Amino acid sequence: MAGKSRKDKVLEQERVSVLGMLLNCESDKKPSFEVQCVDTPIQPNGHDCGVLVLKFIEMWDGVSQFNGKALPDYTIEELQLIRQKFVCDWVLNEDNVLRDEVIQHYDLLLKK
């Protein structure tokens, strides 16, 4: 890829600025970023962008190993299973302070 586009440079500056504010950094101690363009699949519907972003964060290792893309092309059915797994992992996580309440609630619902 040739040099960075103006848009990439502006986005990079904004990320550094926001992170600097969040970390309460002095201007000379702000972290730097490098913008990377990564080929990712296009979502097959109008509502699974968040699921794909979470999966990308989970899987990204810097290598485009799925026919040159960072993620495989998921079907709608596969995305539904991924979404369900995320929810189960979050709800059943031992750090979830409401875990037992949620389990009890749904256990009662299943017994009706």
Side-chain angles (χ1 to χ4, degrees):
M1 178 188 223
K4 294 180 185 176
S5 71
R6 183 178 185 287
K7 178 181 165 187
D8 286 341
K9 290 177 185 176
V10 169
L11 286 172
E12 187 172 349
Q13 290 170 346
E14 288 301 314
R15 286 185 191 109
V16 169
S17 178
V18 168
L19 190 59
M21 285 186 283
L22 290 172
L23 297 175
N24 199 20
C25 293
E26 296 175 18
S27 61
D28 60 335
K29 295 181 181 177
K30 287 183 182 176
S32 63
F33 293 93
E34 179 183 337
V35 174
Q36 293 185 6
C37 295
V38 178
D39 192 11
T40 58
I42 296 182
Q43 68 191 57
N45 56 36
H47 58 269
D48 275 325
C49 55
V51 174
L52 284 169
V53 169
L54 289 170
K55 197 65 180 168
F56 175 81
I57 292 168
E58 178 181 79
M59 292 180 65
W60 178 241
D61 61 2
V63 179
S64 295
Q65 52 189 320
F66 302 98
N67 293 324
K69 294 184 179 181
L71 287 174
D73 288 311
Y74 292 112
T75 65
I76 293 172
E77 293 78 16
E78 290 170 323
L79 286 170
Q80 176 64 29
L81 293 173
I82 291 168
R83 185 183 314 103
Q84 289 171 330
K85 182 176 180 334
F86 277 137
V87 170
C88 287
D89 289 347
W90 296 333
V91 169
L92 299 176
N93 187 288
E94 62 187 32
D95 292 328
N96 179 2
V97 296
L98 299 175
R99 178 180 181 253
D100 294 336
E101 291 178 39
V102 173
I103 291 171
Q104 183 180 8
H105 174 77
Y106 283 99
D107 187 46
L108 291 173
L109 286 176
L110 292 173
K111 290 181 180 178
K112 287 184 178 183

